[in-house]
Amino acid sequence: MAEEKIHTRSVLIAIGANLPLGEQPALESCEQAVQALRRVPGLSVQAVSRWYETAPMPPSGQPPYVNGVVLGVTSLPPLALLDHLQSIETQQGRVRSVPNAARTLDLDIIDMDALCQNTERLALPHPRAHERAFVLCPLHDVLPGWVHPRTGQPLEQMLQAVKGQEIRVIG
């Protein structure tokens, strides 16, 4: 009997938080999210970016965010991975209210093996990732040669376009 080949895909997952979970600061929530990602069956974490502090996008008077990116390999289909990410968010106190609201944790699939799809639940690549320094700078840490699957733009070019956004390395 022939062995069934398991298809794996590379995946980029953005991590962000700007509200504490009880006494736990946002940075700790982000670090715990990485540990939770390491426990997801069918997902292998390959690299974790440095952590960055960034101003909220769009500007809103919220506290600054902590952001990072994980590079992984997964055998999960996109929606199954999304379900795992949303479960981790919920376990870490995420409450979904209005778009762009402050949050204890935000996990987004940025890219999944250059897959382009747009469904009600999931758009790939992430539709605004190329406009945000808080995604692009940590993404550069883990995959500097990334090219946007829809536009064909190299990461270096996208980084030039977001140069004015507030961002600084914190860890």
Side-chain angles (χ1 to χ4, degrees):
M1 188 154 122
E3 261 185 56
E4 186 178 325
K5 186 173 189 260
I6 296 173
H7 179 69
T8 59
R9 294 183 165 111
S10 65
V11 63
L12 291 162
I13 301 168
I15 301 173
N18 74 332
L19 292 179
L21 180 57
E23 296 295 310
Q24 177 176 288
L27 176 58
E28 219 171 288
S29 294
C30 291
E31 289 169 338
Q32 283 188 355
V34 172
Q35 296 312 311
L37 289 171
R38 293 184 193 280
R39 294 188 296 271
V40 172
L43 175 64
S44 173
V45 172
Q46 305 293 301
V48 181
S49 72
R50 296 175 291 175
W51 297 109
Y52 293 79
E53 183 179 273
T54 62
M57 280 292 281
S60 61
Q62 295 177 16
Y65 275 82
V66 173
N67 291 99
V69 168
V70 164
L71 171 64
V73 174
T74 186
S75 58
L76 298 169
L79 290 177
L81 179 59
L82 180 64
D83 289 341
H84 281 286
L85 299 185
Q86 289 179 342
S87 174
I88 293 168
E89 289 175 338
T90 300
Q91 290 166 19
Q92 290 204 29
R94 169 82 185 258
V95 176
R96 294 182 187 284
S97 57
V98 297
N100 300 315
R103 58 202 71 156
T104 56
L105 184 64
D106 187 28
L107 299 173
D108 287 320
I109 302 171
I110 300 303
D111 184 28
M112 198 165 188
D113 235 7
L115 180 65
C116 293
Q117 76 172 46
N118 199 356
T119 68
E120 190 176 310
R121 284 195 64 211
L122 181 62
L124 289 173
H126 190 284
R128 291 169 304 284
H130 64 285
E131 302 169 350
R132 296 175 167 172
F134 68 80
V135 172
L136 298 176
C137 290
L139 195 158
H140 187 269
D141 288 348
V142 297
L143 194 61
W146 186 69
V147 174
H148 194 286
R150 283 199 194 274
T151 67
Q153 276 190 307
L155 182 54
E156 292 297 332
Q157 188 177 345
M158 291 179 274
L159 282 166
Q160 287 299 317
V162 299
K163 259 201 178 338
Q165 296 178 17
E166 288 181 51
I167 185 165
R168 69 181 184 93
V169 176
I170 57 171

